[in-house]
Amino acid sequence: MKKVVIGMSGGVDSSVAAIVLKKQGYDVIGLFMRNWDSLADGELNGPTTDSGICPQEEDYNDAKAVCDKLGIPLYRKDFVKEYWDYVFTYFLDELKNGRTPNPDIMCNKYIKFDMFAKEANKLGADYIATGHYARIQDGKLLRGIDSNKDQTYFLSQVSKEQLKNVLFPIGDMIKPEVRKIALEYDLITAKKKDSTGICFIGERNFKNFLKNYLPNQAGDVVNIDTGEVIGRHIGLMNYTIGQRRGLNIGGTEDRMFVVGKDLKKNILYICIGDDNDYLISTSCLVDNINYLGDKKITKCVAKFRYRQPDIPVELEWFKDEVLVKYPQGVKSVTPGQACVFYNGEECLGGGIIKEVRKDDKKLWYL
């Protein structure tokens, strides 16, 4: 009997993934990852649940309850230092540089499909498994059947080697099916809401959370069209390109959008109107390439952020970078975010947006 070590997060997806694996006849072992220690890292007044414990401990308790019910063992492993070194430090550094990082992508690369896999090997695993909505067929990474939940975007930095001997048991399912199975088994996670916070850090007031690690430096908010100072921001790291909520700037009924940042002058640039030309770019330079395809192609579709519709693009390959061209124009392409390539259902991997351009010129405000 083949042995599978599955990452048990305390959520409904990994719970049902474990059920599927058991039904398929695998010897299933659960492994819970503890990657965040709010006390050790100096955070004060972190979030608690209704029961008065931190969400991560509640997740462990839920994972233990599910494993006990399914009759599978659950191990617990701390990756607090590794998460800090490889994911959270990267997250903070990118914010300091005015970029918008995606820590969930780096968590998959360095923790879930590296450190976790090594720990699973110590437990004698033939395979590792997670509750991601994705599929693997013939060595190719494919989108999950549920287009609303597909998570291949977040797997785009996981290498071909890391994806060997990986199982995604619920990749062929849609979310309502997953919930239904959890209810049939009367699992504690059946009606538990999906996590929407930063990977392993959870949901919290993001601005207050960042104050523990990065000092706020207030500065001017400038209308990029007129050069007029129209307000004050509370620290550039608290804003992302394309953001329109939470700006707290009055004076116009038209919608405002964050469009750029000047780190040296500590200026936040905004534009007014959904169709403002400053929001549009026509190409971007992408580095940190992790390509999963058999051969490099020059035409495909891409996503520049999660849940974005597919964008037709042309790729010009260089040694360590790719120029991604979309002459039709795309709004709010953001340095630091992932650019992920697709050929039909296949996820071809991708990279990190380094530079945003229009008409072959770098946008000065990004």
Side-chain angles (χ1 to χ4, degrees):
M1 183 183 293
K2 295 289 187 179
K3 183 179 291 185
V4 180
V5 175
I6 180 170
M8 296 296 293
S9 67
V12 67
D13 296 328
S14 60
S15 300
V16 173
I19 291 172
V20 173
L21 291 170
K22 284 207 71 176
K23 284 184 174 180
Q24 291 173 344
Y26 291 105
D27 178 11
V28 183
I29 295 174
L31 181 59
F32 180 88
M33 292 174 280
R34 179 177 175 271
N35 295 337
W36 188 253
D37 185 343
S38 59
L39 294 178
D41 296 331
E43 185 192 353
L44 301 176
N45 300 319
T48 59
T49 65
D50 293 339
S51 58
I53 63 174
C54 76
Q56 189 168 228
E57 286 305 307
E58 183 175 74
D59 288 340
Y60 172 74
N61 291 339
D62 290 346
K64 184 70 167 63
V66 169
C67 287
D68 287 347
K69 190 153 201 170
L70 299 180
I72 63 176
L74 179 66
Y75 294 85
R76 177 171 173 149
K77 176 67 179 178
D78 277 17
F79 294 119
V80 172
K81 182 180 186 302
E82 292 84 352
Y83 185 86
W84 180 275
D85 290 344
Y86 292 104
V87 180
F88 196 64
T89 299
Y90 159 83
F91 175 65
L92 294 179
D93 287 343
E94 287 286 88
L95 290 175
K96 288 177 189 174
N97 291 324
R99 289 155 59 99
T100 303
N102 195 313
D104 290 10
I105 288 175
M106 294 305 165
C107 183
N108 281 328
K109 178 178 182 177
Y110 292 113
I111 306 298
K112 292 181 182 177
F113 293 88
D114 186 0
M115 303 298 175
F116 176 90
K118 291 173 181 174
E119 193 65 24
N121 287 337
K122 294 178 184 177
L123 296 172
D126 295 294
Y127 302 97
I128 65 169
T130 69
H132 283 95
Y133 287 84
R135 296 173 292 153
I136 294 179
Q137 290 182 7
D138 301 322
K140 300 180 186 298
L141 178 62
L142 305 182
R143 305 185 204 231
I145 292 294
D146 190 334
S147 59
N148 290 320
K149 289 293 181 179
D150 169 54
Q151 291 174 304
T152 51
Y153 180 89
F154 299 107
L155 298 169
S156 58
Q157 282 289 315
V158 180
S159 70
K160 282 185 177 181
E161 186 64 29
Q162 288 175 303
L163 287 171
K164 288 181 179 178
N165 302 319
V166 169
L167 304 175
F168 296 124
I170 63 170
D172 290 305
M173 303 169 68
I174 61 174
K175 188 73 178 199
E177 290 180 82
V178 172
R179 292 279 185 196
K180 182 180 178 183
I181 292 172
L183 286 168
E184 288 172 353
Y185 277 76
D186 192 27
L187 299 184
I188 194 172
T189 56
K191 296 182 179 180
K192 189 174 181 178
K193 69 175 184 176
D194 293 337
S195 173
T196 57
I198 300 172
C199 184
F200 289 108
I201 295 173
E203 301 174 46
R204 59 187 73 209
N205 185 305
F206 188 64
K207 292 175 183 176
N208 288 341
F209 172 70
L210 281 181
K211 286 179 185 177
N212 294 291
Y213 308 98
L214 297 175
N216 280 341
Q217 292 183 314
D220 289 335
V221 177
V222 173
N223 183 332
I224 197 169
D225 284 300
T226 65
E228 177 188 5
V229 176
I230 60 172
R232 298 282 288 175
H233 67 75
I234 60 170
L236 293 177
M237 75 277 192
N238 293 300
Y239 304 87
T240 187
I241 305 305
Q243 177 181 336
R244 66 180 181 86
R245 292 187 173 89
L247 302 182
N248 298 319
I249 303 168
T252 177
E253 294 182 358
D254 295 320
R255 297 206 297 181
M256 298 182 182
F257 297 86
V258 173
V259 75
K261 303 176 183 181
D262 187 322
L263 290 181
K264 291 182 179 179
K265 297 180 180 178
N266 195 25
I267 291 173
L268 182 73
Y269 289 107
I270 65 97
C271 68
I272 297 175
D274 294 77
D275 57 352
N276 193 292
D277 195 53
Y278 279 105
L279 288 169
I280 307 298
S281 63
T282 56
S283 65
C284 64
L285 196 62
V286 175
D287 62 6
N288 290 288
I289 303 299
N290 176 56
Y291 193 70
L292 300 174
D294 294 329
K295 61 180 181 179
K296 292 178 179 178
I297 60 177
T298 56
K299 289 187 178 183
C300 63
V301 297
K303 291 182 185 292
F304 300 105
R305 60 185 64 205
Y306 184 50
R307 295 194 185 282
Q308 184 181 46
D310 290 346
I311 306 293
V313 297
E314 294 184 11
L315 307 180
E316 185 176 346
W317 294 89
F318 301 100
K319 182 180 179 182
D320 298 313
E321 299 173 328
V322 180
L323 180 62
V324 183
K325 295 180 280 189
Y326 37 95
Q328 72 276 27
V330 175
K331 286 184 181 180
S332 304
V333 175
T334 306
Q337 285 284 284
C339 173
V340 181
F341 310 131
Y342 293 89
N343 184 15
E345 290 298 294
E346 183 181 1
C347 177
L348 300 172
I352 306 299
I353 299 167
K354 175 183 179 181
E355 185 179 288
V356 183
R357 302 176 175 182
K358 181 185 283 187
D359 302 328
D360 298 324
K361 294 180 181 178
K362 180 182 182 297
L363 296 181
W364 62 268
Y365 47 89
L366 284 175

